Amino acid sequence: MNSQLAPLSASTLTERHYEMLVQAVADYAIFMLNPEGCIVSWNAGAARIKGYDATEVIGQHLSIFYSDEDRHDGKPWQLIERALRDGRSQDEGWRVRKDGSRFWALVAIEVIRNEEGVIIGLAKITRDITDRHEADMRYDALRAQLFQAQKLEALGQLSGGMAHDFNNLLTIILSAAKLASRTSNPERLASLLASIQNAGERGAQMTRNLLTFARCEQMPSRLVNLNALLDTAHTFMSQVLPKGMSLEMHYAPDLHCVELDPSQLEMALLNLILNARDAMHGTGVVRLHAENRTLAGEFDDLSGEFVLISVIDHGIGIDPAIRSRLFEPFFTTKDVGKGTGLGLSQVYGFARQAGGDVHVESVAGQGATMILCLPAAVGESAGARA
Ligand SMILES: Nc1ncnc2c1ncn2[C@@H]1O[C@H](COP(=O)(O)OP(=O)(O)OP(=O)(O)O)[C@@H](O)[C@H]1O
Ligand SMILES: [Mg+2]
C-alpha cells in the first residue's frame, strides 16, 4: 500500500472527499441548485450527459435543459415547486443536450437544509435512461400488436357463437312480427311488439360489444362499473364454452368501480375462461367470483382496496414445475394450433398496467383458481359506465 495516502475512514471523511466522490461519478449528473432553480455546482456526469462545461451552466436556470414546449408548460418550475413543498420531487421525460439532441431523463430533486432547518438549496440527480425507455416503448408496441392479433383470433371463436345467438333473436323477431300482424287483441299486440323491441335491443348490444372488443386502438382507462360490465359479459363469455360446460357467475352487488380499459378486462376474463375450458376437457362448470377486499400484502405485496375476480376450474391443475413460466409470452403446453401461449401474458400485462396483479392457486390434478386483483377506485362507485 502507498504510505503517502492517508487511510480513509468515516471519521476522517471531509467535505472535500464528498466533493471528489461527486465529481468522479460519470454515469449520473449530480449538481446543486439554489432555491430559485439556478445551477451552483456541476459534476463530470452532468458534463458528459448534458454536454455543457461547468463554466457554461453555473448561474443558469435549470430550465435550459428543457424543450421549448416543456418550458412553455412551466415544467421545470413545477418540479422545483414540488420539491420545495414536499421535500423531494421526481420526474421522467425528454431533456435537451447542448447540441440540441434529446435524451430520456430520470430525475430526482431533494431539498437541502442547514442546521436550523432552512432550505439552502436543492440537490439534483439525473440519469440518462434513453436505452431503457426505447426498449420499453418497443415492448409496449409489441404487446399491443400481440394483443390485437390475439383479439382477432378470439373474435373468430366469438362470432361463431354470436351468429347462433343472432339467429335466435331473429327467430323471436320474425315470429313475433308474424303473430302481431294477425292479432286484433291490443294487449297481445303490445306484448308482441315489446318482445320484438327487446330482442332488437339485445342484438344491438351484442353488436356494440363485439365492435368495442374488435376495436384496434387501445382504449384509454376510464372509470368502470364492474357490476354492469359483469352483467353484460355473461352471455358474451359463455359463448366460448362447449355444450357440456357452463359458466356460473357470483359477484357482490356493490363491487367497487375500477379505472381501466374495459375491453382489455373483457379480454383478460375471456382468456382465463378459455384456459379453464381447455383444462377441463369439455365438461363441468367454470366459476367466476368477484368481491371487494382490503389487502395488506396477502397477494403479491398489494395493499389497499381491491376488487378480486377469480376464475375457478376443476381441470387438470398446474404443475408446480411450470408455475414460474405461466405469464411468459409464448409459453404453452398445448399442441401446435391449440394455443399460442399469449393468453396469460395479456392477463398479466393488463393487470399490471391497471396497478394490480394476477395470483395463481392450483393443486396439480385438482384444478386452478386464477385471481385478478384490480385496485378499486374507491368512493367513485356511482354513475360509472360498464
Ligand atoms: N386454468 C388452467 N389450468 C391448467 N393449466 C393452465 C390454466 N391456465 C393456464 N394454464 C397453463 O398455462 C399455459 C399458458 O397459458 P396461456 O393462456 O398463456 O397460453 P395458452 O392457453 O397455452 O395459449 P393461448 O391462450 O394463447 O391460446 C397453458 O398452456 C397451460 O399449460
Ligand atoms: Mg390461454
Side-chain angles (χ1 to χ4, degrees):
M1 200 209 275
N2 188 340
S3 57
Q4 300 286 304
L5 287 177
L8 222 48
S9 73
S11 60
T12 60
L13 272 179
T14 63
E15 263 178 43
R16 176 80 197 121
H17 288 124
Y18 282 115
E19 170 77 24
M20 283 163 64
L21 171 71
V22 168
Q23 276 306 330
V25 174
D27 285 342
Y28 294 79
I30 305 176
F31 54 99
M32 310 246 276
L33 305 168
N34 66 18
E36 286 74 48
C38 293
I39 299 156
V40 293
S41 78
W42 198 239
N43 80 334
R48 192 184 68 80
I49 294 174
K50 303 191 192 246
Y52 293 94
D53 286 339
T55 51
E56 295 170 299
V57 289
I58 303 274
Q60 298 262 27
H61 192 265
L62 169 77
S63 58
I64 60 164
F65 308 126
Y66 284 70
S67 64
D68 290 343
E69 201 184 0
D70 285 350
R71 268 201 299 272
H72 180 262
D73 293 344
K75 286 205 176 144
W77 293 275
Q78 289 159 9
L79 195 68
I80 291 169
E81 248 172 58
R82 258 201 334 266
L84 292 173
R85 189 190 60 220
D86 304 336
R88 68 180 53 181
S89 62
Q90 288 194 342
D91 190 27
E92 232 187 277
W94 291 111
R95 298 290 185 273
V96 186
R97 297 191 185 93
K98 182 183 168 186
D99 64 7
S101 59
R102 289 178 174 223
F103 66 99
W104 188 262
L106 181 65
V107 177
I109 298 190
E110 295 258 349
V111 297
I112 309 169
R113 294 171 191 276
N114 66 13
E115 278 159 10
E116 287 80 46
V118 177
I119 296 177
I120 52 167
L122 299 152
K124 182 164 184 291
I125 301 183
T126 302
R127 249 180 98 191
D128 176 354
I129 55 162
T130 311
D131 288 351
R132 198 178 87 193
H133 178 66
E134 282 173 354
D136 284 353
M137 304 271 276
R138 277 197 298 276
Y139 181 72
D140 284 352
L142 192 66
R143 203 167 61 190
Q145 269 176 22
L146 291 175
F147 175 54
Q148 189 56 20
Q150 204 196 6
K151 272 205 310 196
L152 291 179
E153 194 192 318
L155 260 183
Q157 299 195 27
L158 278 171
S159 43
M162 285 186 60
H164 176 258
D165 258 34
F166 269 120
N167 235 356
N168 287 346
L169 293 175
L170 287 176
T171 312
I172 296 171
I173 291 173
L174 289 175
S175 54
K178 210 179 276 174
L179 292 172
S181 67
R182 284 194 212 134
T183 186
S184 51
N185 177 341
E187 269 175 32
R188 172 115 175 98
L189 183 64
S191 114
L192 287 166
L193 287 177
S195 63
I196 290 175
Q197 191 176 347
N198 193 299
E201 275 163 5
R202 271 169 52 206
Q205 184 59 45
M206 274 167 63
T207 315
R208 269 199 297 277
N209 284 349
L210 198 68
L211 290 177
T212 313
F213 184 72
R215 212 173 283 147
C216 189
E217 80 269 27
Q218 207 155 329
M219 300 296 287
S221 297
R222 63 173 172 79
L223 202 59
V224 174
N225 177 331
L226 268 183
N227 281 95
L229 184 139
L230 292 173
D231 286 346
T232 52
H234 183 267
T235 345
F236 195 55
M237 303 288 167
S238 40
Q239 299 295 342
V240 296
L241 297 178
K243 259 207 173 103
M245 292 187 75
S246 59
L247 174 66
E248 271 182 17
M249 293 181 37
H250 298 281
Y251 43 94
D254 58 348
L255 293 174
H256 291 312
C257 283
V258 286
E259 192 156 356
L260 41 75
D261 168 3
S263 72
Q264 284 225 44
L265 172 59
E266 284 173 347
M267 183 72 195
L269 294 177
L270 198 62
N271 273 320
L272 294 177
I273 289 166
L274 287 170
N275 282 348
R277 175 199 68 185
D278 294 345
M280 291 173 72
H281 298 306
T283 51
V285 179
V286 179
R287 292 193 170 78
L288 185 149
H289 277 269
E291 58 174 341
N292 296 333
R293 183 91 76 84
T294 308
L295 296 182
E298 306 87 318
F299 292 115
D300 314 293
D301 295 333
L302 298 177
S303 62
E305 296 302 320
F306 280 78
V307 181
L308 268 44
I309 308 181
S310 313
V311 174
I312 305 151
D313 69 62
H314 299 284
I316 52 175
I318 298 168
D319 187 334
I322 64 163
R323 194 67 168 259
S324 62
R325 304 197 55 199
L326 289 184
F327 299 121
E328 271 177 31
F330 303 111
F331 174 78
T332 182
T333 56
K334 294 171 192 171
D335 292 341
V336 179
K338 294 256 167 73
T340 58
L342 290 174
L344 288 181
S345 99
Q346 184 273 333
V347 177
Y348 180 76
F350 155 72
R352 299 293 299 184
Q353 215 171 12
D357 214 334
V358 192
H359 182 78
V360 183
E361 288 175 0
S362 176
V363 176
Q366 293 180 29
T369 298
M370 309 295 285
I371 308 173
L372 201 52
C373 308
L374 300 171
V378 181
E380 301 177 271
S381 55
R385 287 171 296 156

